[in-house]
Amino acid sequence: MILAPNEPGERILLHLCCGPCGEYPLLKLREAGWDVVGYFHNPNIHPEAEHDRREAAAREFARLHDLELVVESQPREELWRQFSSTSKLEHCRLCIYMRMNRVAAYAGRNGFRFFTTSLLVSPWQEHQMILDAGQVTAERRRINFLAVDFRPGYREGQEMAKRDGLYRQRYCGCIYSLQETDEKFRTPYLEEFGLTLDDLPGRGA
Ligand code: SF4
């Protein structure tokens, strides 16, 4: 159940981690009466070619659904490599808080009273960590984080993305997640990017 806006047509900033994950949240937010604006900010996506492909998919998604989209994103692979000795959970915490902080800051500066994120549709993400990061960063900016469990619509959203012909990625985004993804997905990516496993850093549990 999605909270309806106090005033019909109130704007909400929807952070888009990619195009496909935006499908179901956009549908449900619009059904609830929100005027949605998209925001793409994902410096966690590496290498740059992959970042640009997901940005292109987000732009295509926005075009197909007549969604206003703001793009403020630059891949930061070196930053991730500097944290190579820390655990998966610590990487994800950095990644999620950094992005939510940026989304909240943009929302606050631009007159949005609410924001949320398409990350909440993924069954593969640290859901509670995303909720906590959204809440903390919203409070800091004196705005509101719309906490919605979009996960029941994950499959539906992926089907919508297929119909839209959007690129659907096979790893979360950072160079660590590229290393951890199933070999049958990882190998073609490595070939395409001209990388070997030795180029990817490892991390703790
Ligand atoms: S696995 Fe995903 S959420 Fe975690 S640090 Fe990498 S890109 Fe970010």
mmCIF file of all heavy atoms in Angstrom, residues 4-50:
data_model
loop_
_atom_site.group_PDB
_atom_site.id
_atom_site.type_symbol
_atom_site.label_atom_id
_atom_site.label_comp_id
_atom_site.label_asym_id
_atom_site.label_seq_id
_atom_site.Cartn_x
_atom_site.Cartn_y
_atom_site.Cartn_z
ATOM 1 N N ALA A 4 -0.665 7.884 -0.248
ATOM 2 C CA ALA A 4 -1.068 8.864 -1.263
ATOM 3 C C ALA A 4 -0.607 10.250 -0.812
ATOM 4 O O ALA A 4 -0.497 10.513 0.386
ATOM 5 C CB ALA A 4 -2.582 8.838 -1.429
ATOM 6 N N PRO A 5 -0.344 11.136 -1.751
ATOM 7 C CA PRO A 5 0.074 12.486 -1.341
ATOM 8 C C PRO A 5 -1.071 13.233 -0.664
ATOM 9 O O PRO A 5 -2.239 12.967 -0.950
ATOM 10 C CB PRO A 5 0.449 13.146 -2.681
ATOM 11 C CG PRO A 5 -0.216 12.332 -3.737
ATOM 12 C CD PRO A 5 -0.379 10.954 -3.200
ATOM 13 N N ASN A 6 -0.731 14.154 0.243
ATOM 14 C CA ASN A 6 -1.774 14.973 0.883
ATOM 15 C C ASN A 6 -2.536 15.766 -0.157
ATOM 16 O O ASN A 6 -3.746 15.896 -0.095
ATOM 17 C CB ASN A 6 -1.148 15.941 1.891
ATOM 18 C CG ASN A 6 -0.688 15.200 3.132
ATOM 19 O OD1 ASN A 6 -1.209 14.131 3.434
ATOM 20 N ND2 ASN A 6 0.292 15.755 3.825
ATOM 21 N N GLU A 7 -1.773 16.289 -1.090
ATOM 22 C CA GLU A 7 -2.405 17.037 -2.184
ATOM 23 C C GLU A 7 -2.190 16.245 -3.457
ATOM 24 O O GLU A 7 -1.033 15.921 -3.783
ATOM 25 C CB GLU A 7 -1.753 18.408 -2.340
ATOM 26 C CG GLU A 7 -1.976 19.302 -1.158
ATOM 27 C CD GLU A 7 -1.086 20.533 -1.225
ATOM 28 O OE1 GLU A 7 -0.701 20.934 -2.352
ATOM 29 O OE2 GLU A 7 -0.775 21.077 -0.157
ATOM 30 N N PRO A 8 -3.263 15.910 -4.193
ATOM 31 C CA PRO A 8 -3.086 15.147 -5.434
ATOM 32 C C PRO A 8 -2.115 15.877 -6.355
ATOM 33 O O PRO A 8 -2.166 17.105 -6.482
ATOM 34 C CB PRO A 8 -4.500 15.111 -6.033
ATOM 35 C CG PRO A 8 -5.414 15.385 -4.899
ATOM 36 C CD PRO A 8 -4.658 16.248 -3.926
ATOM 37 N N GLY A 9 -1.227 15.118 -6.955
ATOM 38 C CA GLY A 9 -0.284 15.736 -7.884
ATOM 39 C C GLY A 9 0.948 16.290 -7.204
ATOM 40 O O GLY A 9 1.760 16.978 -7.842
ATOM 41 N N GLU A 10 1.141 16.035 -5.909
ATOM 42 C CA GLU A 10 2.362 16.505 -5.246
ATOM 43 C C GLU A 10 3.571 15.811 -5.873
ATOM 44 O O GLU A 10 3.542 14.626 -6.200
ATOM 45 C CB GLU A 10 2.320 16.197 -3.746
ATOM 46 C CG GLU A 10 3.656 16.480 -3.095
ATOM 47 C CD GLU A 10 3.577 16.871 -1.637
ATOM 48 O OE1 GLU A 10 2.510 16.754 -1.030
ATOM 49 O OE2 GLU A 10 4.629 17.307 -1.124
ATOM 50 N N ARG A 11 4.675 16.543 -6.000
ATOM 51 C CA ARG A 11 5.871 15.976 -6.626
ATOM 52 C C ARG A 11 6.623 15.071 -5.660
ATOM 53 O O ARG A 11 6.709 15.341 -4.469
ATOM 54 C CB ARG A 11 6.801 17.096 -7.094
ATOM 55 C CG ARG A 11 6.251 17.895 -8.261
ATOM 56 C CD ARG A 11 7.333 18.733 -8.889
ATOM 57 N NE ARG A 11 8.124 19.454 -7.908
ATOM 58 C CZ ARG A 11 9.364 19.908 -8.133
ATOM 59 N NH1 ARG A 11 9.946 19.721 -9.293
ATOM 60 N NH2 ARG A 11 10.020 20.566 -7.198
ATOM 61 N N ILE A 12 7.228 14.015 -6.236
ATOM 62 C CA ILE A 12 8.119 13.147 -5.475
ATOM 63 C C ILE A 12 9.328 12.852 -6.353
ATOM 64 O O ILE A 12 9.186 12.675 -7.576
ATOM 65 C CB ILE A 12 7.421 11.850 -5.026
ATOM 66 C CG1 ILE A 12 8.330 11.031 -4.089
ATOM 67 C CG2 ILE A 12 6.993 10.988 -6.215
ATOM 68 C CD1 ILE A 12 7.602 9.875 -3.393
ATOM 69 N N LEU A 13 10.506 12.838 -5.744
ATOM 70 C CA LEU A 13 11.729 12.519 -6.486
ATOM 71 C C LEU A 13 11.989 11.013 -6.346
ATOM 72 O O LEU A 13 12.115 10.499 -5.232
ATOM 73 C CB LEU A 13 12.909 13.316 -5.928
ATOM 74 C CG LEU A 13 14.186 13.295 -6.775
ATOM 75 C CD1 LEU A 13 13.973 14.032 -8.105
ATOM 76 C CD2 LEU A 13 15.356 13.939 -6.016
ATOM 77 N N LEU A 14 12.044 10.325 -7.479
ATOM 78 C CA LEU A 14 12.281 8.874 -7.488
ATOM 79 C C LEU A 14 13.702 8.612 -7.957
ATOM 80 O O LEU A 14 14.028 8.833 -9.133
ATOM 81 C CB LEU A 14 11.281 8.179 -8.422
ATOM 82 C CG LEU A 14 11.530 6.687 -8.714
ATOM 83 C CD1 LEU A 14 11.449 5.847 -7.444
ATOM 84 C CD2 LEU A 14 10.545 6.175 -9.774
ATOM 85 N N HIS A 15 14.547 8.181 -7.025
ATOM 86 C CA HIS A 15 15.900 7.795 -7.426
ATOM 87 C C HIS A 15 15.808 6.537 -8.279
ATOM 88 O O HIS A 15 15.174 5.558 -7.892
ATOM 89 C CB HIS A 15 16.748 7.519 -6.171
ATOM 90 C CG HIS A 15 18.040 6.849 -6.479
ATOM 91 N ND1 HIS A 15 18.330 5.558 -6.085
ATOM 92 C CD2 HIS A 15 19.121 7.275 -7.182
ATOM 93 C CE1 HIS A 15 19.534 5.241 -6.516
ATOM 94 N NE2 HIS A 15 20.034 6.259 -7.179
ATOM 95 N N LEU A 16 16.453 6.575 -9.460
ATOM 96 C CA LEU A 16 16.469 5.420 -10.358
ATOM 97 C C LEU A 16 17.858 4.801 -10.336
ATOM 98 O O LEU A 16 18.840 5.452 -10.693
ATOM 99 C CB LEU A 16 16.150 5.848 -11.794
ATOM 100 C CG LEU A 16 14.729 6.321 -12.090
ATOM 101 C CD1 LEU A 16 14.642 6.817 -13.522
ATOM 102 C CD2 LEU A 16 13.725 5.206 -11.851
ATOM 103 N N CYS A 17 17.939 3.524 -9.932
ATOM 104 C CA CYS A 17 19.236 2.846 -9.968
ATOM 105 C C CYS A 17 19.535 2.345 -11.383
ATOM 106 O O CYS A 17 20.692 2.080 -11.717
ATOM 107 C CB CYS A 17 19.270 1.704 -8.959
ATOM 108 S SG CYS A 17 17.972 0.473 -9.172
ATOM 109 N N CYS A 18 18.482 2.207 -12.189
ATOM 110 C CA CYS A 18 18.606 1.770 -13.587
ATOM 111 C C CYS A 18 17.235 1.972 -14.213
ATOM 112 O O CYS A 18 16.313 2.438 -13.539
ATOM 113 C CB CYS A 18 19.046 0.308 -13.670
ATOM 114 S SG CYS A 18 17.872 -0.846 -12.911
ATOM 115 N N GLY A 19 17.061 1.574 -15.471
ATOM 116 C CA GLY A 19 15.742 1.704 -16.087
ATOM 117 C C GLY A 19 14.758 0.651 -15.590
ATOM 118 O O GLY A 19 13.671 0.981 -15.097
ATOM 119 N N PRO A 20 15.109 -0.648 -15.695
ATOM 120 C CA PRO A 20 14.152 -1.706 -15.359
ATOM 121 C C PRO A 20 13.567 -1.598 -13.953
ATOM 122 O O PRO A 20 12.371 -1.803 -13.757
ATOM 123 C CB PRO A 20 14.985 -2.987 -15.509
ATOM 124 C CG PRO A 20 16.005 -2.638 -16.538
ATOM 125 C CD PRO A 20 16.344 -1.202 -16.294
ATOM 126 N N CYS A 21 14.413 -1.277 -12.970
ATOM 127 C CA CYS A 21 13.908 -1.206 -11.595
ATOM 128 C C CYS A 21 12.966 -0.027 -11.392
ATOM 129 O O CYS A 21 12.272 0.048 -10.368
ATOM 130 C CB CYS A 21 15.059 -1.157 -10.590
ATOM 131 S SG CYS A 21 15.894 -2.737 -10.418
ATOM 132 N N GLY A 22 12.941 0.900 -12.327
ATOM 133 C CA GLY A 22 12.032 2.031 -12.198
ATOM 134 C C GLY A 22 10.599 1.696 -12.600
ATOM 135 O O GLY A 22 9.664 2.411 -12.212
ATOM 136 N N GLU A 23 10.413 0.624 -13.371
ATOM 137 C CA GLU A 23 9.102 0.345 -13.968
ATOM 138 C C GLU A 23 7.975 0.235 -12.929
ATOM 139 O O GLU A 23 6.985 0.968 -12.994
ATOM 140 C CB GLU A 23 9.159 -0.966 -14.775
ATOM 141 C CG GLU A 23 10.053 -0.923 -15.997
ATOM 142 C CD GLU A 23 9.315 -0.434 -17.243
ATOM 143 O OE1 GLU A 23 8.210 0.115 -17.112
ATOM 144 O OE2 GLU A 23 9.876 -0.597 -18.340
ATOM 145 N N TYR A 24 8.116 -0.693 -12.018
ATOM 146 C CA TYR A 24 7.025 -0.948 -11.064
ATOM 147 C C TYR A 24 6.829 0.230 -10.100
ATOM 148 O O TYR A 24 5.688 0.664 -9.879
ATOM 149 C CB TYR A 24 7.296 -2.258 -10.321
ATOM 150 C CG TYR A 24 6.177 -2.677 -9.418
ATOM 151 C CD1 TYR A 24 5.028 -3.286 -9.934
ATOM 152 C CD2 TYR A 24 6.256 -2.467 -8.043
ATOM 153 C CE1 TYR A 24 3.986 -3.664 -9.094
ATOM 154 C CE2 TYR A 24 5.221 -2.844 -7.205
ATOM 155 C CZ TYR A 24 4.097 -3.445 -7.728
ATOM 156 O OH TYR A 24 3.071 -3.811 -6.894
ATOM 157 N N PRO A 25 7.901 0.783 -9.515
ATOM 158 C CA PRO A 25 7.705 1.933 -8.628
ATOM 159 C C PRO A 25 7.017 3.116 -9.324
ATOM 160 O O PRO A 25 6.126 3.752 -8.752
ATOM 161 C CB PRO A 25 9.131 2.299 -8.194
ATOM 162 C CG PRO A 25 9.861 0.997 -8.241
ATOM 163 C CD PRO A 25 9.301 0.307 -9.455
ATOM 164 N N LEU A 26 7.401 3.403 -10.557
ATOM 165 C CA LEU A 26 6.764 4.527 -11.256
ATOM 166 C C LEU A 26 5.269 4.266 -11.439
ATOM 167 O O LEU A 26 4.437 5.137 -11.185
ATOM 168 C CB LEU A 26 7.433 4.755 -12.625
ATOM 169 C CG LEU A 26 6.798 5.866 -13.460
ATOM 170 C CD1 LEU A 26 6.944 7.229 -12.778
ATOM 171 C CD2 LEU A 26 7.403 5.914 -14.870
ATOM 172 N N LEU A 27 4.950 3.048 -11.858
ATOM 173 C CA LEU A 27 3.546 2.689 -12.056
ATOM 174 C C LEU A 27 2.748 2.891 -10.770
ATOM 175 O O LEU A 27 1.680 3.528 -10.769
ATOM 176 C CB LEU A 27 3.478 1.219 -12.499
ATOM 177 C CG LEU A 27 2.093 0.627 -12.686
ATOM 178 C CD1 LEU A 27 1.443 1.197 -13.944
ATOM 179 C CD2 LEU A 27 2.154 -0.897 -12.768
ATOM 180 N N LYS A 28 3.269 2.368 -9.678
ATOM 181 C CA LYS A 28 2.524 2.415 -8.413
ATOM 182 C C LYS A 28 2.462 3.827 -7.831
ATOM 183 O O LYS A 28 1.441 4.227 -7.258
ATOM 184 C CB LYS A 28 3.180 1.455 -7.394
ATOM 185 C CG LYS A 28 2.990 0.010 -7.762
ATOM 186 C CD LYS A 28 1.504 -0.344 -7.707
ATOM 187 C CE LYS A 28 1.138 -1.488 -8.620
ATOM 188 N NZ LYS A 28 -0.311 -1.773 -8.663
ATOM 189 N N LEU A 29 3.539 4.580 -7.967
ATOM 190 C CA LEU A 29 3.512 5.955 -7.448
ATOM 191 C C LEU A 29 2.515 6.804 -8.227
ATOM 192 O O LEU A 29 1.759 7.588 -7.640
ATOM 193 C CB LEU A 29 4.916 6.571 -7.530
ATOM 194 C CG LEU A 29 5.947 6.006 -6.549
ATOM 195 C CD1 LEU A 29 7.359 6.473 -6.908
ATOM 196 C CD2 LEU A 29 5.605 6.401 -5.108
ATOM 197 N N ARG A 30 2.503 6.634 -9.531
ATOM 198 C CA ARG A 30 1.537 7.401 -10.329
ATOM 199 C C ARG A 30 0.102 6.980 -10.005
ATOM 200 O O ARG A 30 -0.792 7.822 -9.898
ATOM 201 C CB ARG A 30 1.833 7.232 -11.820
ATOM 202 C CG ARG A 30 3.005 8.108 -12.281
ATOM 203 C CD ARG A 30 3.287 7.931 -13.748
ATOM 204 N NE ARG A 30 4.217 8.955 -14.233
ATOM 205 C CZ ARG A 30 4.799 8.915 -15.424
ATOM 206 N NH1 ARG A 30 4.555 7.900 -16.259
ATOM 207 N NH2 ARG A 30 5.623 9.881 -15.788
ATOM 208 N N GLU A 31 -0.114 5.682 -9.841
ATOM 209 C CA GLU A 31 -1.465 5.207 -9.477
ATOM 210 C C GLU A 31 -1.925 5.824 -8.163
ATOM 211 O O GLU A 31 -3.108 6.081 -7.959
ATOM 212 C CB GLU A 31 -1.469 3.679 -9.338
ATOM 213 C CG GLU A 31 -1.586 2.950 -10.660
ATOM 214 C CD GLU A 31 -1.555 1.431 -10.493
ATOM 215 O OE1 GLU A 31 -1.551 0.927 -9.350
ATOM 216 O OE2 GLU A 31 -1.511 0.751 -11.531
ATOM 217 N N ALA A 32 -0.967 6.048 -7.252
ATOM 218 C CA ALA A 32 -1.311 6.622 -5.940
ATOM 219 C C ALA A 32 -1.511 8.140 -6.006
ATOM 220 O O ALA A 32 -1.926 8.754 -5.019
ATOM 221 C CB ALA A 32 -0.221 6.292 -4.932
ATOM 222 N N GLY A 33 -1.190 8.743 -7.141
ATOM 223 C CA GLY A 33 -1.461 10.176 -7.306
ATOM 224 C C GLY A 33 -0.256 11.087 -7.237
ATOM 225 O O GLY A 33 -0.402 12.314 -7.203
ATOM 226 N N TRP A 34 0.958 10.510 -7.231
ATOM 227 C CA TRP A 34 2.169 11.334 -7.157
ATOM 228 C C TRP A 34 2.579 11.833 -8.534
ATOM 229 O O TRP A 34 2.409 11.140 -9.537
ATOM 230 C CB TRP A 34 3.332 10.523 -6.573
ATOM 231 C CG TRP A 34 3.160 10.147 -5.143
ATOM 232 C CD1 TRP A 34 2.616 8.982 -4.660
ATOM 233 C CD2 TRP A 34 3.501 10.930 -3.997
ATOM 234 N NE1 TRP A 34 2.608 9.001 -3.289
ATOM 235 C CE2 TRP A 34 3.149 10.180 -2.857
ATOM 236 C CE3 TRP A 34 4.073 12.188 -3.819
ATOM 237 C CZ2 TRP A 34 3.343 10.645 -1.555
ATOM 238 C CZ3 TRP A 34 4.274 12.655 -2.531
ATOM 239 C CH2 TRP A 34 3.918 11.889 -1.419
ATOM 240 N N ASP A 35 3.136 13.032 -8.565
ATOM 241 C CA ASP A 35 3.768 13.571 -9.772
ATOM 242 C C ASP A 35 5.258 13.230 -9.647
ATOM 243 O O ASP A 35 5.970 13.830 -8.838
ATOM 244 C CB ASP A 35 3.552 15.092 -9.836
ATOM 245 C CG ASP A 35 4.232 15.710 -11.054
ATOM 246 O OD1 ASP A 35 4.699 14.946 -11.925
ATOM 247 O OD2 ASP A 35 4.298 16.957 -11.105
ATOM 248 N N VAL A 36 5.700 12.249 -10.419
ATOM 249 C CA VAL A 36 7.031 11.680 -10.215
ATOM 250 C C VAL A 36 8.073 12.349 -11.119
ATOM 251 O O VAL A 36 7.844 12.557 -12.316
ATOM 252 C CB VAL A 36 7.009 10.156 -10.509
ATOM 253 C CG1 VAL A 36 8.371 9.533 -10.193
ATOM 254 C CG2 VAL A 36 5.908 9.464 -9.711
ATOM 255 N N VAL A 37 9.213 12.671 -10.524
ATOM 256 C CA VAL A 37 10.390 13.135 -11.272
ATOM 257 C C VAL A 37 11.507 12.125 -10.997
ATOM 258 O O VAL A 37 11.730 11.729 -9.842
ATOM 259 C CB VAL A 37 10.831 14.548 -10.812
ATOM 260 C CG1 VAL A 37 12.126 14.966 -11.517
ATOM 261 C CG2 VAL A 37 9.728 15.569 -11.079
ATOM 262 N N GLY A 38 12.190 11.673 -12.041
ATOM 263 C CA GLY A 38 13.262 10.686 -11.876
ATOM 264 C C GLY A 38 14.609 11.352 -11.609
ATOM 265 O O GLY A 38 14.849 12.492 -12.019
ATOM 266 N N TYR A 39 15.476 10.616 -10.913
ATOM 267 C CA TYR A 39 16.814 11.139 -10.593
ATOM 268 C C TYR A 39 17.809 9.980 -10.683
ATOM 269 O O TYR A 39 17.727 9.019 -9.921
ATOM 270 C CB TYR A 39 16.802 11.733 -9.185
ATOM 271 C CG TYR A 39 18.087 12.407 -8.773
ATOM 272 C CD1 TYR A 39 18.417 13.663 -9.260
ATOM 273 C CD2 TYR A 39 18.954 11.797 -7.886
ATOM 274 C CE1 TYR A 39 19.598 14.288 -8.873
ATOM 275 C CE2 TYR A 39 20.135 12.414 -7.488
ATOM 276 C CZ TYR A 39 20.441 13.664 -7.988
ATOM 277 O OH TYR A 39 21.606 14.287 -7.595
ATOM 278 N N PHE A 40 18.731 10.074 -11.630
ATOM 279 C CA PHE A 40 19.735 9.019 -11.820
ATOM 280 C C PHE A 40 21.050 9.473 -11.205
ATOM 281 O O PHE A 40 21.655 10.445 -11.664
ATOM 282 C CB PHE A 40 19.907 8.734 -13.314
ATOM 283 C CG PHE A 40 20.846 7.590 -13.615
ATOM 284 C CD1 PHE A 40 20.387 6.281 -13.660
ATOM 285 C CD2 PHE A 40 22.191 7.825 -13.847
ATOM 286 C CE1 PHE A 40 21.252 5.227 -13.922
ATOM 287 C CE2 PHE A 40 23.075 6.780 -14.112
ATOM 288 C CZ PHE A 40 22.597 5.473 -14.154
ATOM 289 N N HIS A 41 21.482 8.772 -10.173
ATOM 290 C CA HIS A 41 22.773 9.076 -9.526
ATOM 291 C C HIS A 41 23.347 7.762 -9.018
ATOM 292 O O HIS A 41 22.888 7.236 -7.989
ATOM 293 C CB HIS A 41 22.592 10.057 -8.362
ATOM 294 C CG HIS A 41 23.858 10.252 -7.583
ATOM 295 N ND1 HIS A 41 24.934 10.947 -8.087
ATOM 296 C CD2 HIS A 41 24.233 9.807 -6.358
ATOM 297 C CE1 HIS A 41 25.919 10.925 -7.197
ATOM 298 N NE2 HIS A 41 25.516 10.228 -6.146
ATOM 299 N N ASN A 42 24.317 7.197 -9.730
ATOM 300 C CA ASN A 42 24.844 5.873 -9.383
ATOM 301 C C ASN A 42 26.336 5.762 -9.676
ATOM 302 O O ASN A 42 26.760 5.049 -10.595
ATOM 303 C CB ASN A 42 24.065 4.802 -10.153
ATOM 304 C CG ASN A 42 22.594 4.812 -9.778
ATOM 305 O OD1 ASN A 42 22.232 4.469 -8.656
ATOM 306 N ND2 ASN A 42 21.741 5.246 -10.694
ATOM 307 N N PRO A 43 27.166 6.449 -8.868
ATOM 308 C CA PRO A 43 28.618 6.360 -9.067
ATOM 309 C C PRO A 43 29.182 4.991 -8.709
ATOM 310 O O PRO A 43 30.361 4.735 -8.904
ATOM 311 C CB PRO A 43 29.162 7.442 -8.126
ATOM 312 C CG PRO A 43 28.103 7.656 -7.126
ATOM 313 C CD PRO A 43 26.801 7.373 -7.788
ATOM 314 N N ASN A 44 28.302 4.104 -8.208
ATOM 315 C CA ASN A 44 28.700 2.740 -7.843
ATOM 316 C C ASN A 44 28.759 1.786 -9.030
ATOM 317 O O ASN A 44 29.098 0.627 -8.856
ATOM 318 C CB ASN A 44 27.690 2.170 -6.840
ATOM 319 C CG ASN A 44 26.275 2.183 -7.404
ATOM 320 O OD1 ASN A 44 25.852 3.212 -7.922
ATOM 321 N ND2 ASN A 44 25.558 1.092 -7.332
ATOM 322 N N ILE A 45 28.399 2.259 -10.219
ATOM 323 C CA ILE A 45 28.348 1.336 -11.360
ATOM 324 C C ILE A 45 29.666 1.398 -12.132
ATOM 325 O O ILE A 45 30.087 2.454 -12.598
ATOM 326 C CB ILE A 45 27.158 1.673 -12.288
ATOM 327 C CG1 ILE A 45 25.848 1.573 -11.508
ATOM 328 C CG2 ILE A 45 27.141 0.716 -13.476
ATOM 329 C CD1 ILE A 45 24.649 2.099 -12.263
ATOM 330 N N HIS A 46 30.315 0.243 -12.257
ATOM 331 C CA HIS A 46 31.624 0.146 -12.920
ATOM 332 C C HIS A 46 31.601 -1.025 -13.882
ATOM 333 O O HIS A 46 30.891 -1.997 -13.636
ATOM 334 C CB HIS A 46 32.749 -0.071 -11.899
ATOM 335 C CG HIS A 46 32.591 0.704 -10.634
ATOM 336 N ND1 HIS A 46 32.746 0.137 -9.383
ATOM 337 C CD2 HIS A 46 32.259 2.012 -10.433
ATOM 338 C CE1 HIS A 46 32.547 1.062 -8.441
ATOM 339 N NE2 HIS A 46 32.238 2.195 -9.052
ATOM 340 N N PRO A 47 32.456 -1.013 -14.910
ATOM 341 C CA PRO A 47 33.251 0.142 -15.322
ATOM 342 C C PRO A 47 32.383 1.208 -15.995
ATOM 343 O O PRO A 47 31.168 1.064 -16.076
ATOM 344 C CB PRO A 47 34.267 -0.472 -16.294
ATOM 345 C CG PRO A 47 33.587 -1.684 -16.833
ATOM 346 C CD PRO A 47 32.674 -2.185 -15.765
ATOM 347 N N GLU A 48 33.032 2.225 -16.485
ATOM 348 C CA GLU A 48 32.298 3.374 -17.006
ATOM 349 C C GLU A 48 31.337 2.984 -18.133
ATOM 350 O O GLU A 48 30.228 3.522 -18.237
ATOM 351 C CB GLU A 48 33.297 4.427 -17.508
ATOM 352 C CG GLU A 48 32.650 5.755 -17.794
ATOM 353 C CD GLU A 48 33.662 6.886 -17.937
ATOM 354 O OE1 GLU A 48 34.843 6.673 -17.582
ATOM 355 O OE2 GLU A 48 33.265 7.957 -18.389
ATOM 356 N N ALA A 49 31.764 2.011 -18.962
ATOM 357 C CA ALA A 49 30.905 1.586 -20.079
ATOM 358 C C ALA A 49 29.582 1.042 -19.561
ATOM 359 O O ALA A 49 28.522 1.263 -20.157
ATOM 360 C CB ALA A 49 31.623 0.529 -20.913
ATOM 361 N N GLU A 50 29.632 0.337 -18.438
ATOM 362 C CA GLU A 50 28.406 -0.225 -17.859
ATOM 363 C C GLU A 50 27.557 0.894 -17.243
ATOM 364 O O GLU A 50 26.331 0.897 -17.362
ATOM 365 C CB GLU A 50 28.770 -1.277 -16.814
ATOM 366 C CG GLU A 50 27.586 -1.881 -16.093
ATOM 367 C CD GLU A 50 26.670 -2.715 -16.988
ATOM 368 O OE1 GLU A 50 27.046 -3.011 -18.138
ATOM 369 O OE2 GLU A 50 25.558 -3.052 -16.535
#
